[in-house]
Amino acid sequence: VQLQASGGGLVQAGGSLRLSCTASEQILGAYAVGWFRQAPGKEREFVAALAWSGDRRQYADCVKGRFTISRENAKNTVYLQMDSLKPEDTADYYCAADARSGFDRPNYTYWGQGTLVTVSS
């Protein structure tokens, strides 16, 4: 399984971006999917996750109310809608599939490459 992340870019504080993560196979109905991010000099941190059933979402406290994770099964794609962006949201964002030990731990089987989000103040 390969994951392709896209949608990063430069945005001003308060703006919005939508990240996409497209899988090479139809996995969204089988695996939980998550988004993580890593800022320079920091560890990778959990952002959001969506259960394989699509009925449970989990968010990091720092993005609750601003970010929304969703999926479109027909396109094998998971989205991360990011609103009210802050400079501290600047990071490489990674999508992942098949959580092996909890949504918020970076212990997923499959990982996409990062897509850079830069939020200017």
Side-chain angles (χ1 to χ4, degrees):
V1 175
Q2 294 184 345
L3 303 176
Q4 180 73 38
S6 61
L10 174 64
V11 64
Q12 289 188 331
S16 298
L17 281 175
R18 188 178 76 162
L19 305 183
S20 300
C21 176
T22 301
S24 60
E25 300 175 19
Q26 184 59 266
I27 64 170
L28 299 185
Y31 297 136
V33 290
W35 286 94
F36 289 76
R37 67 186 183 187
Q38 188 166 17
K42 294 188 177 182
E43 293 186 352
R44 190 167 296 190
E45 65 173 358
F46 170 73
V47 176
L50 178 64
W52 66 269
S53 59
D55 62 353
R56 187 161 70 95
R57 293 169 171 80
Q58 184 174 339
Y59 296 95
D61 289 342
C62 59
V63 306
K64 279 181 181 177
R66 300 189 298 123
F67 291 10
T68 303
I69 188 171
S70 63
R71 72 184 190 192
E72 189 171 357
N73 289 356
K75 295 186 176 181
N76 294 339
T77 299
V78 176
Y79 303 101
L80 184 67
Q81 177 67 40
M82 306 186 296
D83 299 319
S84 302
L85 282 161
K86 305 175 180 180
E88 52 263 44
D89 294 318
T90 295
D92 280 308
Y93 282 71
Y94 299 85
C95 59
D98 188 20
R100 293 181 290 180
S101 59
F103 287 174
D104 58 350
R105 298 182 181 182
N107 192 18
Y108 284 62
T109 303
Y110 307 105
W111 288 87
Q113 88 293 355
T115 184
L116 179 61
V117 172
T118 304
V119 184
S120 63
S121 58

